[in-house]
Every structure is written in C-alpha cells, then in structure tokens.
Amino acid sequence: MNQKPTSVDDNSIEILLVEDNPGDVRLLREGLKEGKVRNRLNVVGDGVEAMLFLRREGEYIDAPRPDLILLDLNPPKKNGRQVLEEIKADSNLRRIPVVILTTSKAEADIIKTYDLHANCYIVKPVNLERFIEIVQTIENFWMTIVKLPPA
Amino acid sequence: MRQIQTIRYARGAGDLNARCTTSIEALNRMIQPRTTRNIKRGHTSKGVRDINRIGWGAWEEKVANTLRVIDTQAYDRANSFYSAMDKTQELFGEVRKREGELQVANEEMEANNEELQASNEEMEASNEELQNLTEELEQTSAYQKSLMDSNPDIIMTTDPSGIVTDVNMATERISGYSREKLIGQPFGQFFSDPGFAQTGIEQVIREGRVSNYELTVVTQKGRQVPVSYNATALRDPDGRITGVLGNARDVTSSKQLEEELRKSTAYTRSLIEANFDSLVTISPEGKITDVNESTVKLTGVSREQLIGTDFCDYFTEPEKAREGYQQVLSKDSIMNYQLTINNKSKQELVPVLYNASVYRDEAGNVQGVFAAARDITILNETMAELGRSNLELEQFAYFASHDLQEPLRMVVSYLQLLERRYKGKIDSDADEFIAYAVDGANRMGQLINDLLKFSRVGTESKPFESTDCTAVIDKVLANLEAAVKESGAVVTHDPLPVIMSDDVQLNELFQNLISNAIKFRGEPPPHVHISAKQAESEWIFSVRDDGIGIDPLYKDKIFVIFQRLQDKDYPGTGIGLAVCKKIVEYHGGRIWVESEHGKGATFYFTIPVKE
C-alpha cells in the first residue's frame, strides 16, 4: 500500500484505489493481474491521503492523474462520501469516473452516493470467482467501452 | 249671652260649630244700636215718661248716650268673644285630633277585647276537655296498666334522678328481677354500663328525650341482652319534669343481623378499598357515585369532591371518556379502553386502561357503570423500554451480521484463491481440507445473510404501499426460476388481491414460502398453489404444497428462529420461517401451518385490509 507512483508508461492506465484493507487490495490486484488491460494500481489507505494524491500535495507531488478511482465507502479519517463530495466539487477532478466498491447493500448508501454523483455503485461479492469477474468487468467497461472526456 | 256659655257643653265638633254660628249672629244683632229693636230697648230702659219730663231733644240725647255706652260695652264683649272663639277654634282643632287618636285606640281596644274573649272561651273549652281527659285517664289507667303489661318491650319509669318507679311485666320477664326488686333501685344498675345508662337518663332530663339509645341489660342470671332505648321525660301539669318513661326493645336478633351485615359490608368495602385499581361507579348520567382510595390517589382529588361530579372531568380527553361510558351503557361492557387521567394536584398525566360494565338492581334495571382503571404508567414505560431494547437488539443483529460479512469475505475469497491456484498441486489431503473450509465458510456466509434479512424486517421497513400480489408472485417465480426448473415444480395461483404492504417484505415472504414448498418436496415433481380470500377485515393467503409435510407436533416450533426439523438432506439456516413470521406480524397479521406428516403442508397468513 501507499506505494509511491513510479514512472508512467504511456500505454497503461492509472487506477487509484482508496482502500484500507490489505486483503481487499491484494484481491483486487490479483483480479487486475488476470485482466486484459495494462494498468498501474495506486493505493492509498484513507480519505485524507486520497485527496492529497488527487491534488498532488505533500509526498504525492509527482502523482499521476488517475483514469479511474475505486473508492471504498468506509476508509479511515475521511469517509468515502466526503472524498466523493470533494472530488465532484473540484472542477479538475470531477470528470474522473468514480466507482464505489463496498460491502454495504444499504439502500440509503446507494441513494446517497448516486446523489453525490458517483459513476457507479458495486457491492463486493463474497465469492472469489465473482469478485475477479467484476474487477475485470470494471476495467473493461471503463477503459475500453466507455468514451471518456480527454484528461 | 247664654248661648255663648253653652259652647262649653257642646257635644261633639258639629254641635260646637252650630252653636258658635248662632252666638255670633245674636251678638251682631245686638251691637247694631240703631236697629228698630235697639231703639225700642232704649225706649223701654229710659221710659216714655222722660220725654215728657225732659223734652224730646234731651231725651233723645240721653238715649243716644245710653246707646253709646251699650255699644261700647257690646264691642268690648264682641272682641273678647272673638278672642275666646279663636281660642275655642284652636282647642277645637286639638279636640278633633285627639278624637281621631281616641277612635283608633278604641278600635284597637275593641279588637283586643274580642281576642281576649275568644281565648277565654278557648281556655274554658280546654279546661273542660282537660277535665274530661283527666276523668277518662282515671277511667282508663287500669286498662293502660294491662296494656303496658302485655307489651313485649321493657317499659320502665324512673324519677328524675334515675331511681326506678315502675316497670311492666316484660321488664320482669327479661331482667329476671321481680317488680318489687326493681322499683326503688338506680336504673343504671341493671345494665352492663351503668354510667352510660345514667347518662341516658340525664340526656332525657336535659333534652326531653332519647332515641335508639343502645344499652345492654344484664339479667339476674348474668345473661346480656342488647336493647334499644327510647325514652321521654314525664312532666307535671306545670311542665316540671317528674321522671322518665323508657321503652326498651330486645334487639338480640336484629343486632346479630346488623352485625353480620356490617361485617359483610366492611369485608366488601375493604376488598374494594384494597384494590390497587381505581374503582368507580358512575350514574347513567355520567356522575360519579362512589370511588375507592386508589381513585383518590390516581386523581389527586378527595372522595367528597369526586362524588357527584362529572366522570369525564378528570381526563385529558373528556369526550373520549364520555364515549367510553356510553359504550358501556349500550354494549354492557368495554375492555382495555385507554384514557389519560389528569392529576392536577400532582401535575401528572396518568395513562390508564379501563375495564367497565353496567351493574343492575335485583329487577335487572341498569343502575350505572362500574369501572376499573389500571395505572399503566409502568407498563407503558416497560413497553417503551422493551421497544428500545428490541430495536437495539435488531440493530445489534444487523451490525453484527453486517460486520461479520467483511472478515468472512476475506476467509472465503482467500480459500477460493488457494483452491484456484493450488488445487492438485500439493496433495489430496490439502484439497480435502480446503474443500471443508470453503464449505464451512459458505454456510456461515448464508447464515449471516439470513440473519441480516431477519434483522432488516424491523430496521429497514418502508411505509406500506398498495401492492399487487400477482406482480409479487411473478417476480418471486423469476427469482426462483432455477429451483423451479430443477425440481420440475408447477406453481399455480388464484386471482390475487392488491393489498397495503411493504412490497420488498412481501416478496421475501412469498419467496421463502414457495421455495420451502419446493425444497421439502416428495418424490414426484411438486405442485404449489397460492390463493387468497377475504374474511371480514383481513385477507387470508394460503400456500399449499404436496410435499413431505410437517408433524403437527412441530407446527409452532418451525416459526422459531434457528429451529430446524430436517437434517442435511434439506440444507437451510432455520431462519426463513422466522423471517416470514416477523414480516406477517409486522403487517399486523398471523401465520400458521396446517399439515400432516407425508400429506403436504398449507401455510396460511393474514394481512389486514387497509385503505
């Protein structure tokens, strides 16, 4: 975690994962490893770090601009809703697609995050096969199917 | 002049007036010297002879002088007469006034005289009567004596100091003492409390009588006889008290009855007073007629102030209170009628639950309402506490199961990753161990999931909306497509109603019941049928299957959470039917099952009909 971004390969896509559980980070990494798209996974452990990364502040001065943000709803310090709100209120960041990845099936959470302009909401499945399938689907959908605005 | 003097003898005012007038006329006539009459008088007094003697001229002068003297005298007299007349008139006025007063006084006196006459006559008459009475009395005293003796009550006379002067035969019989023994003895000594008996005598002397004065005679043999005394003072013709006449009734039996009645009344009353509930009787007009001590405590108003006032006055909703007792009068009784007493003295609102019914007299006519109110403050508080604790428990279950999912997901995911990467690469033992671990983790996942569903019924409910049951069934069958296809089940239904419900919960309910019906099937492909019929204010739904059925012994147990009747052949968490029960009860209905082992089962549940 908290890996410092290294040099950027022009052909690979940059993903920012906001997740405090190393087990989940590893699972995601495993899922992406089996994917088709070349990607670089940047991980931060809490909401404060996430905003520093996105605004290239402090140690993240050389951080890449992510093409996709995977956001857990309950990271420490600053929760997912606050991070989402700040991203969507920032004219520089708001076009980056934000995918909510959470264990919560609560209707209130779903409604609230869409109200805050989350791009999609995904519940983490218990089953590994399904999890890997979903990770690859996210990557495939956002990086090859969707036409996004230029960075 | 004589006429003037007679005024003194005038009789009455009219007479006096007439005489005055006559006298004045007479006088006026006399003081006219040149009238023919006076001239004649002059002639008479001086005589004709003088004319001849002194000549006509001198005579005439002489006569004139005489007449002047007469005139002067006449005027003097007239003047004094007039002043006398004035005085007379004055006196006359006084007389008239006095005469008027006298008249009134006379009339009064006459009236008094008449009265005096009348009362004299009366007095004479009553004297006569008295005389007759005395005679009669003397004649009948023997007769009265025998009457007294035949009287079953004690009759005694005493002198003013309380010494017995006479007794009747009943006294001898009841007391056991002879007449001779009794007479001359102090009255009090024949009673258990001589002082109190003597006080009775003194009261008669002081007040003229006593009534229902309760004493106990002690007989010669020592037996105690309760008696009720009525006594009056005896007086001589001048009104002086000469003694006391007392009549005492043996009240042994009525005393016993009274005592029994008093005991039973006291017992009933003490039961009423001992009751912790507020007990009130109300007239058909709604006035309080009786209350117990609990009512006084509950309302903070004294018994005296409560009785006679309007029952409704003591509640926060007087109209609801009125409706309550009117319902009792029309339906004979009500149960668990909620009201709130406004205790103004404590400034407290007390929630109460009323049970009330009418009470009747022996002929069956309604006399009023008997109402019992129970203070449910503590009950309400307990209920609220229970509600809070249930909510906490539900929230706990929700968060526990929710938070359990997170580490479980790690366990399952990494076990699967192990399986994926290393199956067949270590050894067969490793494969088996991993397989058991994955199976256990999966079952735990299912358990947590079901527990989460169970806890959500209370915590995540939506307001009820109009729900088309046919649409719900269609959705459920789509969800269960795999199970239906695999089992070859045929699921049919009658026309189903639109009801007020939480559609997500209704979905869950039907899905659990239908999937159970498919799961617990027999050998042939199962047939499941759903129907609904309306009964008064509720819909009765049924889900019927032709599966293995349930032993009636367990028909209640199956709805309890984690209770499983079947072994591993029928996998499950034992939460499904508990969730069904919770959903139905949350909608205000009931759920039950009718089944026999091996003959299929029919699950019924009701949902109230609401607008």
Side-chain angles (χ1 to χ4, degrees):
Chain A
M1 301 203 332
N2 286 358
Q3 287 165 343
K4 265 196 134 179
T6 49
S7 63
V8 181
D9 183 332
D10 277 346
N11 293 326
S12 63
I13 61 156
E14 294 288 343
I15 298 173
L16 173 64
L17 173 63
V18 186
E19 173 65 71
D20 62 319
N21 181 1
D24 267 320
V25 174
R26 180 65 198 266
L27 274 184
L28 210 99
R29 203 180 286 286
E30 292 299 327
L32 287 173
K33 205 186 274 178
E34 295 177 21
K36 299 180 186 90
V37 187
R38 283 160 62 85
N39 59 65
R40 189 180 299 278
L41 188 66
N42 305 278
V43 181
V44 291
D46 64 57
V48 174
E49 293 277 313
M51 290 319 295
L52 291 174
F53 183 98
L54 287 167
R55 289 180 174 146
R56 292 173 179 157
E57 285 167 13
E59 60 173 309
Y60 300 107
I61 194 133
D62 297 321
R65 177 187 168 86
D67 298 296
L68 181 67
I69 300 168
L70 300 178
L71 178 63
D72 180 41
L73 271 188
N74 301 304
K77 292 185 185 173
K78 189 176 276 183
N79 72 36
R81 279 168 291 269
Q82 286 171 293
V83 173
L84 179 62
E85 202 168 2
E86 284 183 37
I87 293 170
K88 294 302 178 185
D90 187 321
S91 53
N92 282 326
L93 304 174
R94 67 162 65 117
R95 287 191 214 100
I96 306 171
V98 179
V99 175
I100 305 297
L101 256 186
T102 177
T103 49
S104 169
K105 289 177 188 167
E107 205 171 86
D109 282 338
I110 299 169
I111 292 168
K112 179 73 183 164
T113 46
Y114 278 111
D115 281 349
L116 292 173
H117 309 292
N119 294 79
C120 72
Y121 186 103
I122 290 167
V123 178
K124 293 173 189 169
V126 174
N127 190 294
L128 177 75
E129 298 285 341
R130 185 101 183 103
F131 187 83
I132 292 171
E133 196 184 312
I134 284 171
V135 170
Q136 289 172 2
T137 306
I138 292 169
E139 189 192 37
N140 188 35
F141 180 77
W142 288 104
M143 293 306 125
T144 64
I145 298 173
V146 170
K147 182 71 183 164
L148 292 168
Chain B
M1 291 290 119
R2 190 180 159 267
Q3 284 159 317
I4 293 171
Q5 281 177 337
T6 59
I7 284 172
R8 183 176 300 170
Y9 304 104
R11 290 190 297 268
D15 194 11
L16 183 67
N17 219 9
R19 286 178 192 212
C20 276
T21 312
T22 320
S23 305
I24 289 163
E25 276 169 7
L27 196 67
N28 281 340
R29 274 200 306 279
M30 276 190 280
I31 59 175
Q32 290 293 321
R34 297 218 184 272
T35 61
T36 320
R37 192 163 163 252
N38 281 346
I39 290 168
K40 275 185 184 163
R41 279 175 63 205
H43 281 279
T44 310
S45 64
K46 295 300 172 185
V48 180
R49 286 167 301 172
D50 284 359
I51 305 170
N52 299 330
R53 188 170 55 90
I54 58 175
W56 183 258
W59 182 82
E60 229 175 23
E61 201 180 321
K62 221 177 169 178
V63 167
N65 282 338
T66 310
L67 285 175
R68 266 194 292 277
V69 171
I70 291 170
D71 274 0
T72 311
Q73 286 175 341
Y75 277 110
D76 286 347
R77 280 181 187 159
N79 283 339
S80 60
F81 173 73
Y82 283 131
S83 75
M85 278 308 291
D86 286 345
K87 187 74 185 166
T88 307
Q89 285 292 345
E90 208 177 283
L91 288 170
F92 175 60
E94 189 69 17
V95 167
R96 266 211 297 232
K97 211 170 99 192
R98 291 274 166 84
E99 214 169 30
E101 283 170 4
L102 202 64
Q103 181 85 8
V104 174
N106 271 342
E107 280 166 12
E108 268 174 34
M109 203 139 83
E110 266 169 38
N112 284 344
N113 274 344
E114 273 168 28
E115 262 172 50
L116 209 62
Q117 185 80 13
S119 60
N120 268 343
E121 281 165 12
E122 256 172 56
M123 205 137 83
E124 271 167 31
S126 50
N127 270 342
E128 212 168 297
E129 237 171 79
L130 204 65
Q131 187 78 17
N132 291 341
L133 274 174
T134 312
E135 281 167 19
E136 232 173 274
L137 211 64
E138 278 166 10
Q139 281 170 6
T140 59
S141 73
Y143 173 66
Q144 278 188 342
K145 180 76 188 160
S146 69
L147 266 186
M148 260 174 71
D149 281 341
S150 67
N151 197 313
D153 293 346
I154 291 173
I155 298 172
M156 288 174 111
T157 55
T158 69
D159 69 9
S161 70
I163 299 298
V164 177
T165 51
D166 198 3
V167 300
N168 68 346
M169 279 168 71
T171 313
E172 292 179 294
R173 182 170 48 75
I174 292 169
S175 70
Y177 293 109
S178 69
R179 197 166 176 264
E180 291 69 33
K181 278 270 173 61
L182 288 160
I183 291 170
Q185 296 299 317
F187 171 78
Q189 82 174 51
F190 302 105
F191 298 94
S192 61
D193 186 345
F196 188 59
Q198 187 61 30
T199 306
I201 297 286
E202 283 159 14
Q203 193 179 331
V204 177
I205 303 296
R206 201 169 54 245
E207 295 169 15
R209 60 170 61 246
V210 294
S211 303
N212 302 323
Y213 198 87
E214 291 185 4
L215 290 169
T216 305
V217 173
V218 180
T219 68
Q220 192 195 11
K221 289 180 178 166
R223 197 165 58 87
Q224 298 210 333
V225 182
V227 293
S228 173
Y229 244 94
N230 288 303
T232 51
L234 293 169
R235 290 169 198 273
D236 67 12
D238 297 331
R240 281 191 297 269
I241 292 173
T242 58
V244 172
L245 170 68
N247 165 306
R249 174 156 296 180
D250 178 351
V251 291
T252 310
S253 61
S254 71
K255 196 80 192 167
Q256 278 166 353
L257 272 178
E258 199 178 285
E259 182 66 12
E260 271 168 41
L261 188 67
R262 196 189 59 75
K263 272 185 188 163
S264 117
T265 308
Y267 173 68
T268 313
R269 191 73 215 177
S270 75
L271 287 185
I272 291 169
E273 292 299 343
N275 204 314
F276 285 114
D277 291 348
S278 152
L279 304 178
V280 182
T281 54
I282 311 159
S283 71
E285 295 76 36
K287 301 281 184 220
I288 294 173
T289 50
D290 195 6
V291 298
N292 68 348
E293 186 58 28
S294 295
T295 310
V296 173
K297 281 186 189 150
L298 212 55
T299 55
V301 180
S302 74
R303 182 188 298 262
E304 292 69 31
Q305 281 174 303
L306 281 165
I307 290 171
T309 58
D310 213 331
F311 173 70
C312 307
D313 288 351
Y314 302 96
F315 299 93
T316 54
E317 296 165 286
E319 274 315 305
K320 194 178 169 194
R322 195 181 313 284
E323 266 170 43
Y325 76 72
Q326 281 168 353
Q327 266 187 42
V328 181
L329 289 170
S330 64
K331 295 179 184 168
D332 274 16
S333 69
I334 51 168
M335 299 272 286
N336 298 329
Y337 194 82
Q338 278 209 30
L339 285 171
T340 305
I341 289 176
N342 189 359
N343 185 326
K344 284 175 185 159
S345 68
K346 281 193 194 163
Q347 300 209 319
E348 255 178 22
L349 298 181
V350 187
V352 290
L353 217 50
Y354 263 99
N355 288 317
S357 55
V358 292
Y359 65 96
R360 300 167 191 277
D361 63 11
E362 284 176 342
N365 301 313
V366 171
Q367 296 294 294
V369 171
F370 176 73
R374 176 153 295 183
D375 180 350
I376 54 166
T377 309
I378 292 168
L379 184 68
N380 277 2
E381 281 167 7
T382 313
M383 291 288 282
E385 216 168 281
L386 192 68
R388 274 195 299 277
S389 117
N390 267 345
L391 191 68
E392 259 171 41
L393 211 62
E394 274 166 3
Q395 281 170 345
F396 173 78
Y398 176 76
F399 287 117
S401 47
H402 188 265
D403 290 352
L404 281 174
Q405 269 195 328
E406 201 47 49
L408 181 71
R409 200 168 51 78
M410 287 295 107
V411 173
V412 173
S413 297
Y414 281 95
L415 278 173
Q416 286 175 337
L417 199 59
L418 260 181
E419 202 175 27
R420 193 184 170 102
R421 294 262 171 94
Y422 302 103
K423 193 173 183 184
K425 290 179 183 170
I426 308 172
D427 59 25
S428 60
D429 272 358
D431 290 351
E432 199 185 339
F433 297 166
I434 291 169
Y436 282 129
V438 168
D439 181 54
N442 277 339
R443 275 192 287 120
M444 189 172 169
Q446 191 56 49
L447 207 56
I448 290 171
N449 224 17
D450 285 356
L451 203 57
L452 200 55
K453 275 184 194 162
F454 183 78
S455 69
R456 272 182 185 159
V457 177
T459 52
E460 284 188 14
S461 304
K462 300 187 295 180
F464 294 167
E465 282 171 358
S466 179
T467 314
D468 182 358
C469 293
T470 311
V472 171
I473 295 292
D474 290 345
K475 201 172 162 195
V476 167
L477 292 179
N479 292 344
L480 295 175
E481 201 186 343
V484 170
K485 205 175 273 178
E486 192 216 327
S487 63
V490 178
V491 181
T492 56
H493 65 81
D494 290 342
L496 297 175
V498 173
I499 60 169
M500 292 301 290
S501 78
D502 175 335
D503 63 338
V504 176
Q505 288 187 8
L506 197 67
N507 197 99
E508 183 80 26
L509 175 61
F510 275 117
Q511 189 157 322
N512 278 340
L513 292 177
I514 295 170
S515 65
N516 272 353
I518 294 170
K519 186 160 94 178
F520 298 105
R521 65 177 179 267
E523 283 300 318
H527 179 210
V528 183
H529 185 75
I530 300 136
S531 66
K533 62 175 181 180
Q534 194 173 352
E536 289 180 14
S537 59
E538 60 187 16
W539 284 101
I540 303 175
F541 289 87
S542 65
V543 178
R544 191 184 67 225
D545 65 52
D546 50 3
I548 59 171
I550 298 155
D551 189 328
L553 202 61
Y554 303 112
K555 67 186 175 70
D556 293 324
K557 211 177 171 189
I558 54 169
F559 294 105
V560 179
I561 194 163
F562 299 132
Q563 294 290 335
R564 299 186 62 233
L565 302 181
Q566 299 300 333
D567 52 25
K568 291 276 191 287
D569 292 344
Y570 297 93
T573 55
I575 297 177
L577 284 175
V579 170
C580 289
K581 185 165 189 266
K582 206 171 170 191
I583 291 172
V584 170
E585 286 175 354
Y586 185 76
H587 283 77
R590 294 159 288 129
I591 188 168
W592 70 99
V593 67
E594 283 175 12
S595 178
E596 268 181 60
H597 194 64
K599 289 186 179 171
T602 307
F603 282 85
Y604 294 92
F605 66 88
T606 63
I607 301 285
V609 175
K610 283 181 193 147
E611 286 307 310

